[in-house]
Amino acid sequence: MMLSGFQALSFDCYGTLIDWEKGISAVLGPWARSHRSDIDDERLLTIYGEHETRMEAQNPTAPYPDIVARTMMAVGQDLGVPVDRAEAGQLAASVPNWPAFPDSQEALASLAEHYKLFVLSNVDRVSFAGSNQRLGVSFTEIITAEDVGSYKPSARNFEALLACAAQRGVGSDKLLHVAQSAMSPARP
């Protein structure tokens, strides 16, 4: 694919630029172990992802920290492990601290020299602000689930991206969306 035909790149953030798995595991793993659960991080992430997808679909206008907290409560229920509000709140508050992938900052800085950069993310503005500090780049536009009132893979989110790009003079044929994978469960 020749990137020279594009004027702008849009990014899924979590799973593409930010290592959401490492961020979630840093809280869920110790929580599970503190409750004597021997479940490994990979299985925890799978369970988490299934519940988060459901929570987003059932609560499309809920702020992302609420989605995260509700998801952790559901994970605890699945595992038969109690989750108190403080534990759920700890995971919800951790989103801005999730680490960037090692190459994200340098890659974005290089791409910003040639393209307008957009973010289309399933989080809220406050959570993304913390992540954006780790990414170290000024995006042309940031579009969050909070802004749109729905979570990807809803078409509304991508329609919002296209409308935003058009306002910036970028047609849909000149915008390339960059993602870790096709939209699947557990991809904020």
Side-chain angles (χ1 to χ4, degrees), residues 118 143 157-170 175:
F118 296 79
I143 304 159
N157 298 67
F158 294 96
E159 290 163 0
L161 170 63
L162 293 175
C164 187
Q167 289 174 350
R168 292 295 193 140
V170 178
L175 174 67

Side-chain angles (χ1 to χ4, degrees), residues 18 95-101 104-105 129-137:
I18 297 291
V95 178
N97 301 316
W98 294 351
F101 286 110
S104 292
Q105 189 173 34
S131 298
N132 200 18
Q133 289 177 349
R134 286 166 173 53
L135 297 173
V137 68

Side-chain angles (χ1 to χ4, degrees), residues 55-74:
M55 293 296 173
E56 289 172 346
Q58 291 175 350
N59 307 282
T61 60
Y64 189 66
D66 291 354
I67 295 291
V68 173
R70 291 176 191 190
T71 300
M72 185 168 178
M73 301 286 265

